[in-house]
Amino acid sequence: MTLVRVLTAGALVAIGAVLPTAGQAAAAVTVPFQIDPAPLGNPNGSFDVPAIRCAAVVGDRGVTITGGKEGGWGCLLSSPVEWLNLSTGAHGVATLSDGLNGIPPAVTLDTGTGLVVVMVSSRTGPVTPGFVTFHVP
């Protein structure tokens, strides 16, 4: 009987160590993408404007679009962001912030769970829009 209790307790401890706790959140995943400002979508940019680096930071039930460089910089300022959840059909439009007061441009999208596609374009000039797809848990 004692052996059965010890084995049962050991099995419960092992299962508890493998399963996540109720309040434990998954770590955010960063998915980089770029916007090509040169005509015809040149991936290297042009002589006067290099490729624009953005990132999608995927968390629980949503995503933050921001710059792909250190500190969240590198993405376009005040630009339209369109998204579509391919799993649910939910969609929306948002705008990246203006980058004023030393705060990098960013926007948080409440996409819900599923496979999501995001497009970032520019209001100021001809660019090839940046697209990114990812799964939101």
Side-chain angles (χ1 to χ4, degrees):
M1 187 69 167
T2 305
L3 179 61
V4 172
R5 284 188 217 167
V6 170
L7 290 176
T8 303
L12 290 175
V13 169
I15 291 171
V18 173
L19 294 176
T21 59
Q24 186 177 10
V29 175
T30 301
V31 182
F33 65 102
Q34 72 181 29
I35 300 169
D36 300 323
L40 306 175
N42 181 351
N44 297 317
S46 65
F47 290 114
D48 55 345
V49 181
I52 299 161
R53 308 285 184 203
C54 299
V57 182
V58 182
D60 291 338
R61 299 197 43 82
V63 62
T64 299
I65 303 298
T66 188
K69 294 182 180 178
E70 187 174 330
W73 293 99
C75 203
L76 295 169
L77 304 173
S78 304
S79 294
V81 177
E82 299 177 52
W83 62 271
L84 170 65
N85 186 323
L86 298 171
S87 300
T88 65
H91 56 88
V93 177
T95 302
L96 282 164
S97 59
D98 53 20
L100 293 177
N101 301 318
I103 301 170
V107 64
T108 300
L109 309 172
D110 185 18
T111 62
T113 60
L115 182 62
V116 176
V117 62
V118 172
M119 180 184 80
V120 179
S121 57
S122 173
R123 294 184 198 270
T124 59
V127 299
T128 303
F131 288 94
V132 62
T133 58
F134 47 83
H135 185 268
V136 178

